[in-house]
């Protein structure tokens, strides 16, 4: 039986505080006035961030799921038995992504697949699993990223393009930072110090959040005709943040562009790979013969138990629901 949520509230809150501490101190630059309206930017993305056709959507039989989906569902106070697993391939990638959805989620299967597929394939390359929950243990959270393992968790029915891009930005941050986050490197700090402002109030939270906000701006500048210069009045002063978003554009290149004919080049996360190992949902599923031959433990084919444990125990980066427009 999964623990009641109240039993895990203290540990979840501690994890959130730990993740906030790991992100660093608030920044000190002034915020653009007007700042970038991410809800309006999400709407502007819609005609230009479209998902490729799916070439396969297979729902796994009940009883087994990726190890990360199991551990994350338990961490959030849900039963692994209530998770659905979808193996999804798109026309621009022959390799499937494994997406996990709690059966009580308000986000539909098609909504989940379309929102993820709408990201440029170069962005999807860096994402391992999508996990969708009805809500999170910590109240008023919209989404949650584990940058070290390349996993995105989305709550409620948050389909906003800006949110998904922001969360992907945390994964880019870790994957391009060498032994740490890119947002802690001298290259990023030089760009930050060369600008006079921050793009949004939330960017003030930390350099990690500031970097992720600039991934939204850089993607917008690449994808939406007219780019940042074409945002209607009241138009934020892009010159005041241009060194930061230009640094992101140069760093990520075609990974944040919609390139005709582009195909996938899946990037294994530093600790694990492009998927986590398949495990049994639990002893009841094992007893019913639903996962014969599937180990009821975290283990990959190379036996990298310690690496998997390290990645999955890494504190996540939680995003407040108050920032995002909840989509229907």
């Amino acid at each position: 039986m999964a623990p009641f949520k109240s039993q895990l509230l203290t540990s979840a809150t501690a994890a959130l505080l730990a993740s906030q501490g790991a992100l660093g101190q608030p920044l000190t630059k002034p915020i653009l006035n007007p700042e970038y309206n991410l809800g309006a930017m999400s709407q502007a993305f819609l005609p230009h961030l479209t998902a490729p056709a799916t070439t396969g959507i297979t729902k796994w039989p009940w009883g087994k799921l990726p190890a990360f989906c199991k551990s994350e569902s338990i961490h959030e106070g849900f039963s692994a038995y209530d998770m659905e697993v979808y193996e999804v391939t798109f026309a621009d990638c022959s390799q499937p992504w494994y997406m996990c959805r709690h059966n009580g989620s308000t986000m539909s299967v098609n909504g989940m697949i379309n929102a993820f597929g709408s990201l440029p394939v170069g962005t999807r390359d860096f994402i391992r699993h999508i996990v969708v929950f009805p809500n999170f243990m910590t109240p008023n959270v919209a989404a949650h990223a584990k940058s070290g393992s390349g996993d995105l968790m989305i709550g409620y029915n948050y389909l906003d393009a800006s949110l998904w891009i922001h969360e992907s930005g945390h994964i880019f941050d870790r994957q391009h930072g060498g032994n740490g986050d890119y947002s802690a490197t001298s290259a990023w700090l030089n760009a930050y110090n060369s600008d006079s402002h921050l793009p949004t109030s939330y960017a003030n939270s930390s350099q990690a959040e500031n970097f992720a906000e600039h991934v939204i701006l850089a993607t917008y500048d690449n994808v939406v005709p007219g780019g940042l210069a074409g945002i209607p009045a009241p138009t934020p002063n892009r010159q005041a943040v241009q060194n930061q978003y230009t640094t992101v554009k140069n760093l990520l290149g075609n990974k944040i562009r919609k390139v005709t004919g582009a195909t996938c080049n899946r990037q294994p996360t530093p600790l694990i790979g492009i998927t986590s190992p398949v495990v049994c949902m639990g002893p009841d599923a094992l007893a019913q013969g639903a996962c014969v031959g599937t180990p009821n433990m975290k283990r990959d084919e190379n036996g990298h138990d310690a690496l998997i444990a390290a990645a999955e125990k890494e504190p996540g980066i939680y995003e407040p629901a108050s920032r995002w427009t909840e989509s229907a």
Side-chain angles (χ1 to χ4, degrees), residues 38 46 108 114 123 127-128 140 178 188-189 213 226 239 257 259 274 310 325:
L38 301 188
L46 290 178
S108 69
N114 185 68
T123 299
I127 298 172
R128 187 176 67 150
N140 301 315
W188 175 253
L189 296 176
E213 295 287 80
Q239 285 85 5
R257 292 188 179 96
V259 180
I274 63 172
T325 302

Side-chain angles (χ1 to χ4, degrees), residues 10-46:
T10 301
S11 61
T13 303
L16 175 58
L17 293 174
S19 70
Q20 289 173 333
L23 290 176
Q25 298 299 315
L27 309 183
T28 57
K29 289 188 185 294
I31 312 303
L32 288 179
N33 184 17
E35 64 181 76
Y36 281 96
N37 182 332
L38 301 188
M41 293 174 76
S42 288
Q43 292 302 308
F45 272 126
L46 290 178

Side-chain angles (χ1 to χ4, degrees), residues 67-97:
F68 179 81
C69 298
K70 179 176 180 177
S71 61
E72 195 65 18
S73 65
I74 294 171
H75 170 75
E76 292 296 340
F78 295 106
S79 170
Y81 292 119
D82 292 329
M83 299 300 291
E84 306 168 344
V85 183
Y86 294 87
E87 185 173 327
V88 181
T89 52
F90 297 97
D92 56 10
C93 190
S94 61
Q95 296 174 296
W97 276 273

